Amino acid sequence: MTKKLFIKTYGCQMNVYDSARMADVLAPLGYVASDTPDDADLVILNTCHIREKASEKVFSELGRLRPLKAARPGFMIAVAGCTAQAEGEEIVRRMPHVDVVVGPQAYHRLPELVARASRAAGAALDTDFPVDSKFDHLPAANAAGGAPAAFLTIQEGCDKFCTFCVVPYTRGAEYSRPVADIEAEARRLVEGGVRELTLLGQNVNAFHGRDEAGREIGLGALVRRLARIEGLARLRYTTSHPRDVDDELVAAHGDEPKLMPYLHLPVQSGSDRILDAMNRGHTAAQFRRIVERLRAARPDLALSSDFIVGFPGETEAEFAATLDLVREIGFATAFSFKYSARPGTPAALMDRQVPEPVKDERLQRLQALLRAQTDAFNAACLGRTVPVLFERPGRHPGQLVGRSPWLQPVHVGGGGEVGEIRPVRLTRLATNSIAGDVVDEMPAGAAA
Ligand code: SAH
Ligand code: SF4
Ligand code: F3S
């Protein structure tokens, strides 16, 4: 009997990947995807706990689902993801209409949990960190609906314990998947039409998976191995930590043409005292040096980063050091957040929490600077011809939407097909993308 499954995904790309795996593991039970909760038999909320606002969303969404549950016998609600891991007991207590609570390392047990919850009243809860890896039990990713760009999780968890962050508690210890498994999954995706793979991990460049000979290899070596897959045109990876950028990875940026010239490398702050209080394990100068090495290897590398403003004790001068770092390095894109105190993390207990209006004001100043840098980066690309991978049709007939090597969204009026990489001359900045025209060939000597 077919049943309908609706998954709502919050948070990072790892949750996007996990949502697809959850759908795969439930398919043998007869669940097919639905794009609305209204006719679903099972709704899964795949949650994020990174900031207070993110985790609050779960409780309001559960409130909205309550009438559906009351109206339809057999309708089930599951809460997965990082908030499930951190607040499983609380969810069960406050939201008695929830049937299943499952943490990020226990998704392979979903069929059993769903079955258990449908037999008995009360919620089935599994927030263990099992010794067996979920990857050994979950079906590997298949090309979903012919999308030419796909995610592939190669590493999970975090041992870094930045003082502001919940991830080490919600995702558990660092774990790297075996190289052969990753390669097999990558090959299957490429056979299904994938041209671009983004390798995922909370600390993706801490990857140290074992190869067939039992040797541990790092991300640089893994990138080189995957780059040999015929038909795969582009590789990216995210999110990396400055501490784990090694020579091999820098070298791969220099000489592996399939590795795209774009890197998301969170720095959080430009102040050494704040970086130390955050337990980031590097100084601002060391970050600058890493960027120099990367740019020496790949001069057209575009950088992206994450920033936190208003970390406990952050002074105006320390915030100004972040602005200085941003001005000096220049980012193509960036994400910036107000510090959010998370229960159970050391920074939540630190003295001198920064008042909300001060955080607001700092965030505005930082975002204005970052926005200007993004605009300048995009404007500098106008008039250039760049290879674009078309990922999906646009809103208008014939229109195609894709990405440049620097992850910029690009749209064209026509002249290609989804899954193709074509040279596009960039002509105009639009609201959320760059407009361009497909041309016959790349100019001689063009990068990427
Ligand atoms: N593993 C990555 C980051 C994962 S979380 C890294 O080490 O860089 C994504 C981003 O959310 C972080 O880079 C940080 O900027 C932000 N973030 C994490 N915890 C936060 C908190 N408590 N308050 C505000 N922003 C936070
Ligand atoms: Fe969180 Fe730090 Fe780990 Fe990133 S490195 S996931 S910010 S603890
Ligand atoms: Fe959020 Fe968990 Fe990702 S807290 S950012 S969903 S690892």
Side-chain angles (χ1 to χ4, degrees), residues 9-27:
T9 307
Y10 304 84
C12 61
Q13 288 109 326
M14 306 206 53
N15 264 10
V16 175
Y17 178 88
D18 284 343
S19 287
R21 296 293 72 67
M22 284 192 269
D24 291 345
V25 82
L26 289 168

Side-chain angles (χ1 to χ4, degrees), residues 15 18 40 49 58 72 77 81 87 132-133 141 145 147 159 180 183 192 214 281 309 320 353 366 375 386 409:
N15 264 10
D18 284 343
H49 201 54
V58 184
R72 299 228 315 272
I77 301 173
E87 293 192 359
D132 50 339
S133 155
D159 299 337
E183 185 167 336
V309 302
Q353 297 282 328
L366 176 60
D375 291 348
V386 305

Side-chain angles (χ1 to χ4, degrees), residues 12 49-52 157-158 160 162-167 201-204 239-242 264-268 278 280 305-309 311 335-342 345 347:
C12 61
H49 201 54
I50 202 81
R51 286 168 289 275
E52 194 180 347
C158 182
K160 300 256 182 332
C162 300
T163 53
F164 52 82
C165 183
V166 295
V167 170
Q202 261 90 25
N203 264 289
V204 73
T239 296
S240 35
H241 194 293
H264 182 65
L265 193 62
V267 61
Q268 318 297 356
M278 287 176 163
R280 290 291 288 180
S305 199
D306 290 341
F307 298 90
I308 294 178
V309 302
F311 185 82
F335 303 87
S336 44
F337 312 99
K338 288 189 281 180
Y339 167 73
S340 169
R342 307 306 289 129
T345 60

